[in-house]
Amino acid sequence: MASKQSNVDFVLEQMRGAGAVTARKMFGEYGIYLGPAIIALYCDDELFMKPTDEGRAFITQRGPVKEGPPYPGAKQYFVITGDRCEDGEWLSELARITAAAQPAKKPKAARKPAKKVHLAKSPTKRPAAKKPTAKKGRTKRR
């Protein structure tokens, strides 16, 4: 079941205290970013925060951490439900903590221009082509 845009907008509104929070549609669901860092996924109308040690410590101050995969085959994320999604101050702080705990992105290497490939001649010789032969029943004219 795809998430409703209005629910994603609500979560973004709650996180606005963290800074420039945006959502991008991904595979029918949403990735939530704080600046350039992806901090959460919003799938099936549930918020899944990226797991970090710092985030776990913050979440456990208010109770146990619920974990689950945002989609089949995914790794475990922190599942943020109910009143926690409605507490904008708490959710904004969790977003800041999660973004700060992300490893720095490595700069992308510059693309090298494509090299020209020269095909070398095959080391084995091809069989010599057969000479065309006259068809039977025909004679050559001189």
Side-chain angles (χ1 to χ4, degrees):
M1 174 176 127
S3 299
K4 294 180 183 174
Q5 181 66 50
S6 60
N7 294 341
V8 175
D9 292 341
F10 175 78
V11 168
L12 293 177
E13 180 68 22
Q14 296 301 94
M15 288 184 183
R16 76 175 183 265
V21 180
T22 58
R24 294 184 195 156
K25 199 157 190 148
M26 303 171 73
F27 309 111
E29 297 297 348
Y30 297 86
I32 298 178
Y33 294 79
L34 179 53
I38 186 162
I39 58 169
L41 298 175
Y42 197 82
C43 304
D44 292 331
D45 284 327
E46 284 190 293
L47 179 61
F48 295 87
M49 293 295 289
K50 228 174 172 183
T52 62
D53 293 336
E54 296 84 350
R56 183 182 304 280
F58 180 74
I59 293 170
T60 54
Q61 292 174 0
R62 284 186 74 182
V65 177
K66 182 180 175 189
E67 293 185 44
Y71 53 88
K75 67 179 185 174
Q76 298 290 311
Y77 276 63
F78 300 141
V79 182
I80 311 300
T81 58
D83 64 328
R84 290 183 178 187
C85 279
E86 295 174 4
D87 185 347
E89 225 176 274
W90 184 86
L91 200 55
S92 293
E93 184 62 21
L94 178 58
R96 280 190 294 271
I97 290 169
T98 302
Q102 300 298 319
K105 285 191 172 185
K106 295 178 185 176
K108 290 185 179 180
R111 292 188 73 167
K112 295 180 183 178
K115 293 182 181 180
K116 290 184 179 179
V117 178
H118 297 284
L119 298 176
K121 291 185 178 179
S122 174
T124 59
K125 292 186 177 180
R126 293 183 180 167
K130 294 181 181 180
K131 293 181 181 177
T133 58
K135 293 186 179 180
K136 289 185 180 180
R138 292 182 117 186
T139 58
K140 287 186 179 180
R141 291 188 180 174
R142 289 190 180 184

